[in-house]
Amino acid sequence: MSDFLFSGLNLALATPFDASGKIDFGQLEENIERHIDAGITSFLLSSGTGLHAYLSRQEADELVERGAKIINGRARIMAQTSALLVEDVVARTRHAADCGAHGVMVLPPFFEGPTSDDDVFAFYETVGEGGLPIIGYNIPVNTGVTITPELFRRLIEIPNFVSVKDSSADLVAQADLISTGLPVINGADPLQPYSLYAGVAGVIWGGANIAPKTCAAFVEAGMRKDWDQARELWQSLEPLMSHIWKGDYVQSVYAAAAITGYPVGAPRRPFSELSAEKLSVLRPIVEALPE
């Protein structure tokens, strides 16, 4: 196993909500306990799958604090601390450090933000003042920023910058990042087996909320290069992971998690619940999982 701190499977935990749309911390505890029992050894709190963008600063901070207390040293902890203002990112990162997080995932400047490499570098350099290892988040379709191999090599010079999570879903572009020899994390669910074979250092996986035991076993097999076992496990996961990636990702994860016994309620507005028609298509795919 790699000595990279965030190797293997890092679960992008879905944030549970109650009927009124508030974070359900009782369900959060129950789900974390079940995920740990299923073999999850690393959690990303306030993830994109967990609707980080639709949590207030106070909610996100409380989610990280209470999630860390529940985990209580039994697994690694990442926190997403992305925000529009870099000062807020630093403050959120310091809070995550105080809660015992091992690292943070941070989007580059987004929503009409600067896109030059120099400005992106300066942004992450400032984020480094938060005092935790930083995983940059490469998702160009949402940010307008592409972390290229050249930029990656510059960013890794920042003392606290350790990796890039690539959710571009472009395997060729990801292979270029991997070719730098620096640790890359895959964030595109359908690419998991191909990314592991190409040499990623780890994965951050929202779909693992649905089948954590099988996903953990699959990633473990891939990390030790047991491709026969990895292929066998992936054959059971692929129909679902390809299906949810094609549209309504968050709604599908929330609906599917409930089907497999990890209820997270309805996704928060502006998302609506998955329609009855789409749920009828999703359900048999989920029920075919080995768990």
Side-chain angles (χ1 to χ4, degrees), residues 121 151-159 161-163 182-183:
F121 180 90
L151 178 56
F152 191 13
R153 291 187 185 96
R154 286 187 63 188
L155 291 170
I156 210 73
E157 296 174 4
I158 299 170
F161 196 98
V162 298
S163 183
L182 303 171

Side-chain angles (χ1 to χ4, degrees), residues 76-287:
R76 297 188 307 269
I77 299 168
M78 295 183 201
Q80 180 168 193
T81 56
S82 302
L84 285 172
L85 296 177
V86 68
E87 293 83 2
D88 285 350
V89 180
V90 172
R92 288 169 181 250
T93 299
R94 287 174 175 160
H95 171 77
D98 290 341
C99 294
H102 300 90
V104 292
M105 184 181 76
V106 180
L107 286 162
F110 57 98
F111 190 68
E112 299 182 350
T115 59
S116 76
D117 284 6
D118 288 345
D119 287 340
V120 173
F121 180 90
F123 170 84
Y124 279 115
E125 191 172 38
T126 302
V127 173
E129 296 172 6
L132 282 177
I134 302 163
I135 297 167
Y137 191 173
N138 187 47
I139 185 165
V141 68
N142 288 349
T143 64
V145 175
T146 299
I147 299 180
T148 63
E150 293 74 25
L151 178 56
F152 191 13
R153 291 187 185 96
R154 286 187 63 188
L155 291 170
I156 210 73
E157 296 174 4
I158 299 170
N160 285 337
F161 196 98
V162 298
S163 183
V164 165
K165 174 197 175 187
D166 177 47
S167 293
S168 68
D170 183 337
L171 188 56
V172 174
Q174 187 176 105
D176 285 342
L177 290 172
I178 294 169
S179 71
T180 64
L182 303 171
V184 176
I185 296 175
N186 176 52
D189 295 19
L191 295 188
Q192 300 296 11
Y194 315 104
S195 296
L196 286 166
Y197 187 79
V200 291
V203 305
I204 293 177
W205 197 350
N209 284 279
I210 305 164
K213 186 175 181 180
T214 302
C215 290
F218 159 72
V219 174
E220 183 181 352
M223 294 298 293
R224 67 171 185 268
K225 304 186 189 310
D226 184 346
W227 303 121
D228 288 339
Q229 184 182 12
R231 186 182 302 109
E232 180 180 351
L233 291 167
W234 181 249
Q235 286 175 346
S236 66
L237 292 168
E238 190 278 333
L240 175 64
M241 298 306 161
S242 293
H243 177 79
I244 64 177
W245 193 261
K246 292 173 183 176
D248 302 308
Y249 181 84
V250 169
Q251 300 100 309
S252 296
V253 170
Y254 272 66
I259 295 170
T260 57
Y262 295 85
V264 283
R268 171 173 279 185
R269 293 183 297 179
F271 292 99
S272 59
E273 292 187 75
L274 202 65
S275 70
E277 180 181 1
K278 292 180 178 179
L279 182 59
S280 69
V281 176
L282 176 68
R283 182 178 294 277
I285 301 173
V286 176
E287 290 178 344

